[in-house]
Amino acid sequence: MSSRTVRAGRIPVTRLSPALPDPRWRPKAFEGEVVPFRANVFREGHDQVGAMLVITSPSGVERRERMALTAAGTDRWEAKALLDEIGEWSWHVTGFDDEMATWRHDAALKVDAGVDVEVMYEVGARLLDRAAADSQRPAAVRTRLMAIAAGLRDSGAPVAARRALIDDPALAEFDARPLALLSTDSEEHTIRVERRRAGVGAWYEFFPRSEGARRLKNGSWKSGTFRSAMKRLDGVAAMGFDVLYLPPIHPIGVTNRKGPNNSLDPAPGDPGSPWAIGGPLADGTAGGHDAIHPDLGTLADFRAFVRRAGALGIEVALDLALQASPDHPWVREHPEWFTTLPDGSIRYAENPPKKYQDIYPINFDLDPEGLLVEVERIVRHWMKQGVRIFRVDNPHTKPLVFWERLIGDINATDPDVVFLAEAFTRPSMMQALAMVGFQQSYSYFTWRNTKEELEEFLTSVSQDTADFMRPNLFVNTPDILTEYLQFGGPAAFTVRATIAATAAPSWGVYSGFELFESVARPGAEEAIDNEKYEYKPRDFAAAETEGRSLALYLGILNAIRSAHPALGQLRNIRFHASDDDAVLVYSKHLEGRFTPDGRDDTVIVVANVDPHSVRETTVHLDLAAIGLAPGSRYTVEDLVTGHRWEWGESNYVRLDAFTRPAHVLHVVRGTDD
C-alpha cells in the first residue's frame, strides 16, 4: 500500500483566494472591507457539490458563509465577508457533496419525465428523515421537513402539489446547513486586517513653509511656520480631507543647494529642496532626520500642529526620505552609509536625465544593521510626536529586505502605523513593496487618462492585486503635472478628481490642484516655479471668491465619499458600456447586508474623459451588477446637482466638458426619498 501523502481530498478544493503571487507573504485587507473569498470545488461524475467558507475573527468568533457559483460550469465558488475586526483572521473552505441539491436536480428531471417517480420521491423523503433527526436544526424546521417527507410519500396527493414539494421554500434550510456524507476541508489560511486608514483616506499635501510665507520689503522671503500653516488646516478640513501629508520638515543642506526650477545657482535666502535633508539648526550645529527646520518652529510647535489637525479630524502624514544632503550629520559620523568614488568624493543622486547634486543616496550594503537601527529610531521618534502615517520617498531605490524588516518591526508593536510607498517604477518592485508590508502605494493612475487605459488600470488594481496592494490615486504631485492637466483646462482637473475620489477608497491632491495650476517647466512634467525649490504662498480665498477654484467641488466629492459606503470599498468597481470611446462608465455597489443602514448603496459614475468637447451618447448598464433585475426602471440622483432622472438598461447622457463633464449618480431605492 502506498505511504505517499495524498493532498487532493475526496471533494477537491483548489485555487483558494485571497492569495498572493508569492506564498511567503500573507494577503491583507482593511477594517470594514468586504472581501470575496473564492475556491474551486468539484468532484467526479455529475452529482452536485457545495462549498462553505468558514472564517474566524481575531477574537475567535467563527462565521460560516455558504458560497455560490460565480458562473455555471466554472467550479469557481465565492462568498463575500465583511472583515470588521483588526488583526489576523483565519479561514478555510469546506467542499462537500450536496445531497439535497443532487436529489432536487435529479428529481425535477425524472419526475417531470415520468421516470422512477416513486423512487425519486422516496430518496428525497429519506434525506429529509435524516435531516429532521438532526437535533442541531431548529424544532420548527425539523417539523416542516418531516411534513415535506410525508407529502413526498403520499402517492394519493394531487400530482402538482406533490411535485411542488421538490421546490418547497423550506428546503432553503439546506443552504446554511447542508446535508452531506462527503467533505474536504482546505488548509487553513490567514488574512491580516489593518486599520481602516490603511485602505481609506482623502489625502491633501502642502508645504508648511509656503503657508504664511511672505516677501519682505528688501525682496527676501520670510518662511511660513507651523503656527502660520495651522491656519490652513481649516480650509483642508472644509474640503473634507482627512490626511494631511507634509514633505520633509527637517533642516535643509546648504552645500549644492538648488535654486528656483532646479537651478544650480541659488540666490541668498533661497530655501532649497526639503528632500535635501540635513543642515544647520538655529545654534549652527547640523541636524538631520530627527530635527525640525528652524524656520518652521520647534518640536512643540509641530506637536501643536498635529493636535490641531487631529481636532479637525485630520491625521498628519510625514515624509520619510532616506537620503542626505552633504551637510547631514550622517556624512561625518557614518561615511560607510554612502558610496565613495575613486576620487574620494561621495556619489550624489541621479535619475537620468535628472540630477540631484544636493542629495547623497544611502548605501545599504556596508552597514545594513546600523542603518536599520537608526531609521527605526527616527520613525519611532516621530511616532512619539503623534505621527502614525509615513509617506516613503522612492522606496524602490532601497533594498526590499530593509522595508520588510523595518515595517515588520514597527507594526509588530504599533500595527496602526501606515506606510505609503511612493514608487513609480516597474510593476514587480511596486507589487513586492506592497507584499512585504507597505499598506498603500502610489500607482500609474496619473498617466492613465483615456477610457481604455482607465478601465484596464482600475480593473487591475481592484481585482488582480487587491489582495495585497492598495492604490492611492493621487491626481498630481510636486513632481508630476501630466500633459492631460497641462492642456486640459478646468475640465481635466474636474474629471481627474471625480475619478480619483470615486474609483478607489484612497485618493490624494497636492496643493494648487484646486487652483488649476497647469503651467509646466519647459521640457519637464512638473510645474514651473516648482514649490520644491521656492516659497509658494497661495491666496485660496481670493480664488474661491473669483470662481477660480475647485475647492467647493473637492469638498462635495469628499462629502459624497463619506455618505456612500460603496465608495469606501476597493474591490467592487464594475465597468459598463457606452457608445462613445470618451465616456467612461463604472459603478460601485455594496449590498445592504454590508451597509450601516441595511440598504443597498450604489453609485454610478459617468465621465467624459475628453476635456475639450461635449459628448452625447448612450450608456448601457449591467443591472445585475448594481443589484437590479433585468428590465428594471429606477431613479438616479446626481449627487452634485441634485437632478433626478428615470433610468433603465440604456440611457442617454450629455456631458459638457466646459460645464459638467461628469455625473456622480446615486441609485435611489425606496425610502431614500
Side-chain angles (χ1 to χ4, degrees), residues 83-207:
L83 304 186
D84 52 2
E85 185 180 333
I86 296 172
E88 184 172 289
W89 293 62
S90 61
W91 64 279
H92 68 269
V93 171
T94 299
F96 54 87
D97 66 319
D98 192 334
E99 294 183 274
M100 185 55 64
T102 296
W103 171 74
R104 293 179 72 183
H105 172 270
D106 294 349
L109 292 175
K110 289 189 174 184
V111 169
D112 291 348
V115 176
D116 298 334
V117 173
E118 294 303 323
V119 171
M120 294 311 300
Y121 280 141
E122 181 59 25
V123 169
R126 292 186 182 189
L127 290 175
L128 292 168
D129 289 343
R130 241 175 67 206
D134 182 358
S135 61
Q136 299 299 311
R137 298 179 190 271
V141 170
R142 295 165 63 195
T143 299
R144 178 58 188 156
L145 296 181
M146 286 188 288
I148 296 174
L152 291 174
R153 291 187 171 108
D154 185 1
S155 58
V159 173
R162 199 179 182 199
R163 169 63 177 81
L165 293 175
I166 298 174
D167 302 314
D168 193 288
L171 299 184
E173 153 72 10
F174 296 99
D175 291 342
R177 287 178 285 270
L179 203 60
L181 288 176
L182 306 173
S183 67
T184 299
D185 290 338
S186 73
E187 291 183 353
E188 201 71 13
H189 295 260
T190 61
I191 181 169
R192 185 175 71 256
V193 176
E194 298 169 314
R195 72 170 175 125
R196 188 158 180 80
R197 181 65 68 229
V200 182
W203 290 54
Y204 188 87
E205 174 184 2
F206 74 54
F207 286 61

Side-chain angles (χ1 to χ4, degrees), residues 523-545:
E525 194 184 52
E526 61 182 35
I528 198 167
D529 303 327
N530 198 294
E531 194 171 4
K532 291 187 297 182
Y533 310 107
E534 57 188 272
Y535 301 107
K536 198 164 189 173
R538 299 173 172 92
D539 193 338
F540 295 101
E544 289 185 45
T545 300

Side-chain angles (χ1 to χ4, degrees), residues 330-373:
W330 287 349
V331 177
R332 181 184 70 257
E333 298 168 2
H334 293 283
E336 71 276 12
W337 292 354
F338 303 93
T339 299
T340 302
L341 299 174
D343 63 1
S345 64
I346 296 177
R347 188 181 69 187
Y348 61 75
E350 292 185 86
N351 183 15
K354 295 181 180 180
K355 295 184 178 182
Y356 305 95
Q357 296 92 335
D358 55 341
I359 292 173
Y360 289 160
I362 305 298
N363 185 326
F364 285 80
D365 296 332
L366 301 179
D367 182 22
E369 295 300 322
L371 274 166
L372 181 65
V373 170

Side-chain angles (χ1 to χ4, degrees), residues 66-83:
R66 182 68 184 263
M67 304 178 80
L69 270 174
T70 57
T74 63
D75 295 325
R76 191 69 171 159
W77 297 77
E78 177 185 274
K80 295 176 182 176
L82 174 66
L83 304 186

Side-chain angles (χ1 to χ4, degrees), residues 463-479:
Q463 307 298 322
D464 301 339
T465 59
D467 289 344
F468 59 94
M469 183 176 174
R470 305 188 190 105
N472 192 321
L473 305 187
F474 262 79
V475 289
N476 68 325
T477 77
D479 295 306

Side-chain angles (χ1 to χ4, degrees), residues 106 312 352 468 478 480 484 505:
D106 294 349
L312 294 170
F468 59 94
I480 302 172
Y484 188 87

